[in-house]
Amino acid sequence: MFKRIDHTEFVPADFEKTLKFYTEILGFEITMRRKIDNRPPMKELVFIKLGDTMMELFSVDKPLPVSKDPWRVGYRKIALQVENVPKVVEYLKSKGVEIVSGPAPAAGAPPPTRAEIKDPDGISIELLERN
């Protein structure tokens, strides 16, 4: 009956800054972008894709700030599978992205390598290399 997650939705504080982060730094591709004229507070939406994973970003008037509590109810983080965590970490450092943790071993068998960064709104992004 259910097949897979089609996409996730995010409301960034700074729409253009977040869109640039996901596309120009993390390599997501814009698949659709359009203005919204008839559904305030929405102004614009964009679908971005990485592999077969889709995200939808909304530009809205006066977005509420993200809770800083990592254990709040709701989505906590996203995880991106990468080919080489240490290499990705060095690339992200060169782009000015703060590395929160890692590279380090992660739970699992065989143990994968992981690191963690944050997007422009402070949403955690786990970088995961599975052997």
Side-chain angles (χ1 to χ4, degrees):
M1 179 184 284
F2 298 101
K3 294 167 57 176
R4 66 181 190 86
I5 293 172
D6 183 78
H7 69 280
T8 58
E9 297 179 356
F10 291 86
V11 176
D14 183 327
F15 181 77
E16 290 299 330
K17 181 178 181 180
T18 299
L19 181 58
K20 188 175 183 177
F21 174 80
Y22 280 95
T23 57
E24 294 182 14
I25 295 176
L26 297 186
F28 281 72
E29 167 190 346
I30 295 174
T31 61
M32 193 264 296
R33 185 173 187 169
R34 71 178 162 108
K35 299 283 185 193
I36 306 294
D37 297 323
N38 60 349
R39 293 184 57 199
M42 291 175 29
K43 301 186 301 185
E44 186 175 3
L45 66 82
V46 63
F47 278 96
I48 57 176
K49 182 178 180 180
L50 183 66
D52 65 351
T53 302
M54 190 88 71
M55 288 173 54
E56 185 176 10
L57 302 177
F58 287 99
S59 173
V60 300
D61 289 322
K62 302 176 186 164
L64 297 174
V66 172
S67 168
K68 299 301 180 192
D69 181 356
W71 300 110
R72 70 192 177 279
V73 173
Y75 291 103
R76 194 169 103 75
K77 74 168 103 175
I78 62 172
L80 300 179
Q81 191 171 20
V82 302
E83 290 180 10
N84 182 311
V85 170
K87 186 175 182 177
V88 170
V89 164
E90 287 308 310
Y91 163 75
L92 292 171
K93 283 181 183 176
S94 78
K95 297 294 185 181
V97 176
E98 178 185 357
I99 308 304
V100 176
S101 67
T113 303
R114 67 173 302 283
E116 192 168 316
I117 62 172
K118 297 216 184 257
D119 82 354
D121 290 313
I123 296 172
S124 293
I125 299 172
E126 182 176 13
L127 307 170
L128 189 62
E129 176 185 348
R130 295 194 184 275
N131 297 331

